[in-house]
Every structure is written in C-alpha cells, then in structure tokens.
Amino acid sequence: MLRLNLANRRIFMTFFTADFCDEYSDQVQVLAAGYNNYGGAHKCEGEIVTVALDKYNGELIKLLRDTDGTGKVVVVDVQQEYYAVVGEKLMEFAQQNHFAGIVINGYVRDTEQITDVPVGLYAIGTCPRKYIPTTVGQTQIPLTFGGVSFQPGDYLYADKDGIIVTAQPLV
C-alpha cells in the first residue's frame, strides 16, 4: 500500500518484509545479512533489473542514465574487489529516471551526498575509490549472491528488516 504525504510530496510504502515472510514464507527468498541502506528512501520495491559488473560501472551508468526505471529495482553483482560502483552521480541518474532502488553486492561512495536522494541504495559497505579501466558488464542475466537467485522480472522488497525476492509481486 502506498500513502502520499501532501506536505512534501513523498510517497511512503507501507509494506513490511517481516510480514511478507510470515504470510508468504514458501514464496520468498531472503538475502543474507550485511547489506546496509545508504540511500534516502527507507524502503523500496519493484521489478528486478540485473547488472553483472567486473569492477567498472559503465553498464550500470548506461542503465541508470538511459532507462525509465519506474517500478524497478536494479540488482548489481560486482566482483568482490574493494571499489565503489555507485556514488552521487549514479544516484542522481537513478532519481531522474524514477528507479525505486539499487541493491549492490559490492560497495558505494559519496554517502554524505546521497542520503537525501529518495532512492533505496543497499550495499555491503563503502569505499572511496572507483575503478577506472574500462571493462565490460552484462545486463538482464540471472545473478546469485547472498543465498538468493535474482532473475530479471522477479520482484524485490527492501526495508530496515532486510531484503526479500519473490517471483510474483506481493503488493
């Protein structure tokens, strides 16, 4: 359920992942612990779009900059090296193109600047440096990390209690 606060025109989602886990226990996958929200939205939900990166975030930049993200959450798997793949500029792209959130099996930066951007941004942690050499990424492929299989077109729900994935929308 969505509720609009007319004073500041923000939309509040009223789902709770814990309630979904109780009601749909046989239909949800729960992402492992350790993912923190660095974005300005306290919750996010939407259809999954996937991106696999080899440290360099070029494919993610193109996706966030050039795609209508209405009703979508981007799930990003990054080779586990210590480089940030999302910062202030990419969060601005995500907001401009109406993405609900980004979940990264990797790191973010510019956390002081992005706390007011109304997009969920879940990641393992922070790192001040980015990867400069160009490498190729892939979009819309199945990803697996944190005990969850992410399929393009599945649905993701995230709040303070955790991140869950389902094959069909629950709200």
Side-chain angles (χ1 to χ4, degrees), residues 113-127:
Q113 297 94 321
I114 62 178
T115 57
D116 292 330
V117 178
V119 175
L121 177 62
Y122 295 81
I124 294 171
T126 63
C127 177

Side-chain angles (χ1 to χ4, degrees), residues 143-164:
L143 303 175
T144 302
F145 60 84
V148 172
S149 295
F150 300 91
Q151 300 292 326
D154 282 357
Y155 287 80
L156 184 143
Y157 300 89
D159 64 12
K160 289 183 179 185
D161 287 335
I163 299 169
I164 64 171

Side-chain angles (χ1 to χ4, degrees), residues 17-26 28:
T17 58
D19 290 344
F20 284 160
C21 286
D22 291 350
E23 189 170 343
Y24 304 101
S25 62
D26 59 334
V28 301

